[in-house]
Amino acid sequence: MTTTAITNIGSLVTNDPSVGDGSPLGLIENAAVVIEGDKIVWVGPAAKAPATDEGFDAQGRALIPGFVDSHSHLVFAGDRTQEFNARMSGRAYSAGGIRTTVAATRAATDAELEANLVRHLDEARRQGTTTFETKSGYGLTVADEARALRIAAAHTEEVTYLGAHIVSPDFAEDPAGYVGLVTGEMLEACAPYARWVDVFCEKGAFDGDQARAILTAGAAAGLIPRVHANQLSYGPGVQLAVELEAASADHCTHLTDADVDALAQAAGTTVATLLPGAEFSTRAQWPDARRLIDAGATVALSTDCNPGSSYTSSMPFCIALAVRDMRMTPDEALWSATAGGARALRREDIGRVAPGARADLALLDAPSHVHLAYRPGVPLVSGVWQRGRRVH
């Protein structure tokens, strides 16, 4: 099997505190990485790199783990430009706009949905994202939810069943009936394609009791819970996520002291995934990452890429927002966008640069990862390796 050395790395982020400078990022200056097949087999100072079959000169640039985007909604059709325009003109955001995307998604063909998914995945990959989670949730019928997950599963192993995005318009007068469908026939059709089960626990979507029933049913079918929690208002979502040992509580915008304490105590189980693109695109209150980190919670960053409330696939942009508006340091933001996302997906083979890890890497046209926040909006990712293969 061919071995490849990436040498002359000015600054290497490993996310391994046992190496380099001993920080959470495990920074190594003047470093090298050796890839064999789809795995990393050696990491260390460039002067000590072993001989390999092939080489790549990083020319003093920074190398980081590929971004792990642990929350996105990429199986959809249409867009919501008019809604965004109206919101920027003063109309408040609510969960109800999802219905517009549901109508467009139902009307789309499988080929159209897949082409749109691939376009967004390619767009994210060019910006350094090498692991993608994505959800259903824009079909809200048995057939449409199952086909969304089937299409997604052909492109990523991190697929989430979100039949409980909102109550289907077809069940507007019978929310209990829709919960029964989501926990019954729809779950049975969707579970074979998914790893995760999710629910939008929010006013206008599903209350705490409904969310518990949906997540419990999903868990009984072998799916691991995650929760859209406390995005638009204070509510039971975070506490429910911790109670059910969900992998993540996502959004976490409106938190009580008890919510923060619960996430801190569950730091080894439930990750607080923050989605600053949503606050940017809705002019909403920013999540307080500093409060969570200082309390001891595990924090991830993700794009929440979706056509309504966060239409960005750029993890670098989300890092810049987190540093500027959520009081994270550049080091914390990068860790959360890589190792934090891996934690949210309960993965140990991604989000780090170490022997045995998957060879998912992003090369920056900059001497340091700090430039991701220092130079917001600049396309700094100049090379991407996914499973050991250079894809950009």
Side-chain angles (χ1 to χ4, degrees):
M1 192 175 294
T2 301
T3 55
T4 301
I6 303 174
T7 59
N8 196 16
I9 300 165
S11 176
L12 172 66
V13 174
T14 68
N15 287 336
D16 181 356
S18 70
V19 303
D21 66 352
S23 71
L25 293 188
L27 286 170
I28 303 176
E29 304 298 324
N30 301 313
V33 173
V34 176
I35 299 169
E36 183 174 7
D38 64 352
K39 295 287 194 299
I40 294 166
V41 295
W42 188 90
V43 174
K48 297 182 179 180
T52 58
D53 301 314
E54 298 176 353
F56 178 89
D57 185 352
Q59 299 179 337
R61 292 173 287 181
L63 188 71
I64 64 174
F67 296 122
V68 180
D69 193 345
S70 62
H71 182 127
S72 71
H73 305 250
L74 299 181
V75 187
F76 69 88
D79 72 15
R80 281 147 67 183
T81 305
Q82 292 181 342
E83 176 189 324
F84 176 80
N85 192 33
R87 191 162 64 243
M88 294 301 103
S89 302
R91 192 175 79 189
Y93 173 72
S94 70
I98 294 168
R99 295 181 181 86
T100 303
T101 303
V102 169
T105 302
R106 288 180 177 182
T109 66
D110 289 12
E112 288 168 337
L113 292 177
E114 184 163 34
N116 196 47
L117 170 67
V118 169
R119 179 171 67 87
H120 286 93
L121 292 181
D122 287 346
E123 179 181 275
R125 191 178 292 110
R126 291 195 301 272
Q127 298 173 87
T129 299
T130 52
T131 300
F132 320 84
E133 179 272 357
T134 200
K135 311 175 192 295
S136 65
Y138 291 127
L140 309 185
T141 67
V142 173
D144 284 307
E145 287 295 291
R147 75 164 176 156
L149 294 171
R150 173 175 48 79
I151 290 168
H155 298 276
T156 178
E157 62 268 54
E158 301 298 347
V159 180
T160 301
Y161 167 48
L162 183 59
H165 203 177
I166 59 168
V167 173
S168 169
D170 308 324
F171 287 79
E173 304 303 319
D174 184 18
Y178 186 64
V179 172
L181 181 68
V182 169
T183 57
E185 182 184 356
M186 187 183 288
L187 173 61
E188 184 178 352
C190 290
Y193 302 108
R195 183 183 180 207
W196 310 95
V197 59
D198 199 347
V199 60
F200 190 9
C201 184
E202 186 62 68
K203 293 176 183 176
F206 299 89
D207 64 26
D209 290 339
Q210 292 169 326
R212 178 181 281 102
I214 291 162
L215 295 172
T216 301
L223 306 182
I224 308 168
R226 41 198 335 113
V227 184
H228 279 62
N230 300 52
Q231 177 187 4
L232 306 178
S233 60
Y234 294 99
V238 164
Q239 296 290 339
L240 183 62
V242 171
E243 173 195 332
L244 298 181
E245 298 185 343
S248 65
D250 297 25
H251 288 289
C252 295
T253 308
H254 299 274
L255 301 180
T256 64
D257 289 344
D259 292 332
V260 174
D261 289 344
L263 287 167
Q265 292 170 16
T269 304
T270 302
V271 174
T273 299
L274 308 184
L275 311 167
E279 280 68 40
F280 176 86
S281 297
T282 60
R283 286 181 175 161
Q285 172 185 321
W286 297 100
D288 192 344
R290 181 83 273 128
R291 182 184 179 199
L292 286 163
I293 292 170
D294 288 349
T298 300
V299 171
L301 285 177
S302 187
T303 64
D304 190 20
C305 187
N306 75 82
S309 62
S310 183
Y311 201 11
T312 179
S313 60
S314 175
M315 290 289 276
F317 175 64
C318 291
I319 286 172
L321 292 179
V323 172
R324 167 61 179 81
D325 293 301
M326 287 162 46
R327 302 197 295 158
M328 299 181 83
T329 68
D331 285 13
E332 289 168 342
L334 178 60
W335 188 94
S336 294
T338 52
R343 294 270 189 95
L345 295 176
R346 295 186 174 168
R347 297 276 295 274
E348 296 184 353
D349 61 327
I350 56 175
R352 62 193 183 98
V353 181
R358 202 164 79 177
D360 290 351
L361 305 161
L363 184 68
L364 305 182
D365 192 12
S368 165
H369 66 280
V370 177
H371 280 237
L372 291 165
Y374 180 43
R375 304 193 68 206
V378 177
L380 293 178
V381 176
S382 61
V384 178
W385 286 260
Q386 190 174 37
R387 297 180 182 269
R389 186 171 65 90
R390 194 172 184 203
V391 294
H392 169 60

